[in-house]
Amino acid sequence: MSEREVMQYDVVIVGAGPAGLSCAIRLKQLKPEASVCVIEKASAVGAQILSGAVIEPAPLDELLPGWREAPPPVCVPARRDDFRLLTRTRAWSLPTPPQMHNHGNFIVSLSAMCAWMASQAEALGVEIFPGFAAAETLVDESGRVIGVRIGDMGVAKDGRHKDSYTQGIDLHAHLTILAEGARGHLTKRLIRRFDLDAGCDAQTWSVGIKELWQLRAGVAEPGLIVHTIGWPLDRATYGGSFLYHLDQDRVALGVVVGLDYKDPLFQPWEAFQQWKHHPYIRPLLEGGSILSAGARAIVTGGYQALPKVEMPGAMLIGDTAGLLNVPKIKGTHQAMRSGMLAAEHYAETGRAEGWNAKLRGSTVMDELYRVRNIKPAFKRGLWAGLANAGFETVLGGASPWTLRTRPDYAQMQRVDAYGPPERGWVERTLPPRDRLQGVYYASTAHEEDQPVHLKVADPSICVERCAQEYQNPCTRFCPAAVYEIVQEASGKRLQINSANCVHCKTCDIKDPYQIIDWVTPEGGSGPNYQNL
């Protein structure tokens, strides 16, 4: 092996999402002379960004004051909120919770918005490299993070170097900023290495599954924001759905399910498809077609699960840190704000030390503290959760307690100890017909002959212990049909269809034995979302 090429920067940012790009832009605004590099594992900026998304514009107003004169390509002012409780056949109108009022906000495609932000960053001199996956962090002998290593390209499944082999380079930096999004694979390792989660609760997650539809002419109401709770989820399962009306008769819709659900036989992707067939939703979609689809993990642990966000030479920002405001169903403004604050901290101090205190003393943390008890209370059921949400809202988060969280993987019950509820699910006729067709709409592409990026520590557990205790929930919770249990003459085996993967990280989070480790595949691999 030849010695790796090294490139030196003042700051390297891993991830071209709203947090990473906001940080890069703010850094160049404050320190034009600083060399700033952003690396992104997707083939293009925005290609693996997925969110609802309704955004609060205040951070964008501060970061790019003239943005409204030339907004992102998908940007619709919020005009009306509608909040519904669904039963199997009815949609009961409820008062919209205060946190979900969207007057003054905008419905956007976050993937398109990030591509638009990248152009703003490049105009300031930020170097952005899509298609380059950070495979590992670099740590010197003193224990300081000094940068990241780009993964090698052109490696076969068996480890052989193909004709296309290209050795990854090392990016060295005075400061490395992790903005990988939810369940970043580098962040997960750094949290463990530096014990960043000592003294905080277990992080919790949800999985969000989304589609973008083209409706019949004249059907959409641009600016209408619909949220629902209830069916098809049972009262013990946290989650809800959204339906955002865009321009050009397009609508973004999806379901979010807490990964702390108990039922080992539950299927989040199927729940989304059932929701689309509700009498309140289906008439809107009939005659329409899917333009794009995808899924991602959403970090929901909030205030009590926030790890320490600094270590020698590196910082965590955005969803990597876990800054989503769950009751608002919004995290973009928090991600952008944290990225801007991180840039300001570095511009003032020139180091990572002190970032943890700065973030925790900011409005970002104040927002998380005020809603810290809302999501955990839903573990007691839908009605108890709603009642507590009202109570916490009235008090503004001033209750003298903080509810605790537990790991999502520990919540799943064994099949012999849990009776699945009667869900009232129906026969489906709307597309997609199955998860594989959903993968098609995600435009997922992986080079088939590359190392499998879903590492299972002990596959025998899957075909023996897990089959008996949980009936292999990975075959159901994965929204892309990555995992299969295959019967062969010699017995059963786990088959990993890694080419299907949409990089949602659900398996890494929900696996009850914690033996699945999601690592980044070859740069440029994965979904290529269009306006999600």
Side-chain angles (χ1 to χ4, degrees), residues 228-413:
T228 77
I229 56 174
W231 192 89
L233 305 181
D234 62 273
R235 294 179 183 176
T237 301
Y238 177 82
S241 62
F242 63 89
L243 197 153
Y244 302 154
H245 288 242
L246 305 170
D247 55 2
Q248 302 177 28
D249 287 300
R250 295 175 296 179
V251 65
L253 63 154
V255 162
V256 175
V257 177
L259 289 177
D260 54 357
Y261 66 81
K262 298 178 180 179
D263 184 0
L265 303 181
F266 181 65
Q267 305 170 68
W269 187 88
E270 181 61 29
F272 174 38
Q273 303 307 319
Q274 290 290 326
W275 173 81
K276 287 161 52 181
H277 287 74
H278 190 277
Y280 179 66
I281 305 297
R282 179 172 176 166
L284 180 75
L285 302 179
E286 288 179 326
S289 59
I290 300 176
L291 300 176
S292 189
R296 61 160 289 194
I298 303 167
V299 57
T300 60
Y303 173 82
Q304 49 269 64
L306 187 77
K308 186 179 181 182
V309 294
E310 70 175 63
M311 67 214 82
M315 298 155 62
L316 310 180
I317 61 174
D319 266 4
T320 291
L323 303 178
L324 178 84
N325 183 320
V326 176
K328 280 188 177 181
I329 323 178
K330 293 178 180 65
T332 301
H333 68 291
Q334 292 276 85
M336 293 183 67
R337 183 72 71 195
S338 70
M340 294 159 65
L341 285 170
E344 291 163 8
H345 175 73
Y346 178 72
E348 293 168 2
T349 68
R351 56 198 179 94
E353 287 74 15
W355 166 236
N356 189 68
K358 185 176 182 69
L359 181 67
R360 291 180 185 274
S362 71
T363 57
V364 173
M365 188 57 56
D366 179 62
E367 185 171 319
L368 288 185
Y369 181 79
R370 284 185 277 114
V371 299
R372 70 194 183 283
N373 288 327
I374 292 182
K375 199 266 184 179
F378 279 90
K379 288 301 297 176
R380 302 170 185 172
L382 176 62
W383 300 117
L386 289 174
N388 179 74
F391 173 77
E392 290 285 344
T393 299
V394 170
L395 290 183
S399 50
W401 54 77
T402 296
L403 300 180
R404 311 325 306 183
T405 64
R406 296 177 58 213
D408 291 329
Y409 67 85
Q411 307 298 308
M412 186 178 287
Q413 303 294 300

Side-chain angles (χ1 to χ4, degrees), residues 436-517:
L436 289 180
Q437 189 177 32
V439 170
Y440 166 78
Y441 289 119
S443 300
T444 294
H446 293 81
E447 170 61 49
E448 291 283 355
D449 189 18
Q450 66 171 292
V452 174
H453 65 281
L454 301 151
K455 310 294 186 182
V456 179
D458 185 355
S460 68
I461 291 178
C462 305
V463 296
E464 297 171 2
R465 184 178 169 189
C466 187
Q468 179 180 359
E469 295 179 346
Y470 297 101
Q471 291 186 15
N472 300 115
C474 64
T475 63
R476 291 178 292 276
F477 59 56
C478 173
V482 168
Y483 299 92
E484 286 186 81
I485 301 297
V486 178
Q487 179 68 58
E488 297 179 334
S490 58
K492 292 182 179 180
R493 67 174 177 86
L494 173 68
Q495 177 170 300
I496 301 176
N497 305 309
S498 57
N500 293 358
C501 182
V502 295
H503 300 193
C504 72
K505 322 287 182 64
T506 301
C507 56
D508 192 302
I509 298 163
K510 189 59 176 173
D511 161 41
Y513 302 100
Q514 291 294 278
I515 58 173
I516 299 176
D517 186 24

Side-chain angles (χ1 to χ4, degrees), residues 19-294:
L21 291 170
S22 296
C23 184
I25 291 170
R26 193 65 169 150
L27 269 170
K28 292 298 282 187
Q29 289 172 340
L30 296 171
K31 293 178 69 69
E33 73 283 2
S35 57
V36 181
C37 168
V38 179
I39 55 173
E40 167 59 46
K41 66 182 177 65
S43 59
V45 174
Q48 292 177 10
I49 298 291
L50 181 152
S51 185
V54 178
I55 65 166
E56 294 184 1
L60 198 55
D61 289 335
E62 182 181 338
L63 183 67
L64 298 167
W67 76 272
R68 296 172 192 250
E69 299 171 10
V74 180
C75 186
V76 179
R79 302 196 183 280
R80 184 165 70 89
D81 288 303
D82 190 1
F83 186 60
R84 302 271 173 156
L85 170 65
L86 302 187
T87 63
R88 173 62 194 86
T89 58
R90 299 288 298 275
W92 300 94
S93 181
L94 298 177
T96 301
Q99 298 95 338
M100 296 170 68
H101 287 167
N102 285 293
H103 177 73
N105 294 336
F106 291 85
I107 308 171
V108 301
S109 156
L110 197 59
S111 60
M113 178 177 149
C114 286
W116 171 83
M117 289 180 68
S119 67
Q120 316 295 316
E122 288 177 322
L124 293 170
V126 177
E127 297 182 39
I128 301 178
F129 301 118
F132 291 88
E136 58 183 293
T137 48
L138 302 174
V139 181
D140 67 14
E141 294 179 356
S142 70
R144 184 177 183 274
V145 177
I146 59 170
V148 296
R149 173 165 292 169
I150 303 300
D152 296 346
M153 308 280 281
V155 178
K157 278 187 177 180
D158 60 5
R160 173 180 49 86
H161 290 179
K162 298 184 286 188
D163 292 341
S164 60
Y165 175 76
T166 303
Q167 187 180 57
I169 63 174
D170 286 351
L171 300 178
H172 287 189
H174 183 256
L175 176 67
T176 303
I177 298 179
L178 282 300
E180 299 180 283
R183 195 67 167 193
H185 86 287
L186 296 184
T187 303
K188 182 173 69 172
R189 296 175 183 179
L190 289 173
I191 288 175
R192 185 181 305 122
R193 177 174 187 144
F194 290 98
D195 202 19
L196 300 180
D197 56 355
C200 65
D201 285 4
Q203 188 58 266
T204 65
W205 317 82
S206 294
V207 59
I209 307 171
K210 178 184 177 181
E211 294 172 357
L212 177 67
W213 278 63
Q214 180 69 56
L215 305 181
R216 306 182 310 277
V219 172
E221 180 187 331
L224 172 60
I225 295 172
V226 180
H227 290 105
T228 77
I229 56 174
W231 192 89
L233 305 181
D234 62 273
R235 294 179 183 176
T237 301
Y238 177 82
S241 62
F242 63 89
L243 197 153
Y244 302 154
H245 288 242
L246 305 170
D247 55 2
Q248 302 177 28
D249 287 300
R250 295 175 296 179
V251 65
L253 63 154
V255 162
V256 175
V257 177
L259 289 177
D260 54 357
Y261 66 81
K262 298 178 180 179
D263 184 0
L265 303 181
F266 181 65
Q267 305 170 68
W269 187 88
E270 181 61 29
F272 174 38
Q273 303 307 319
Q274 290 290 326
W275 173 81
K276 287 161 52 181
H277 287 74
H278 190 277
Y280 179 66
I281 305 297
R282 179 172 176 166
L284 180 75
L285 302 179
E286 288 179 326
S289 59
I290 300 176
L291 300 176
S292 189

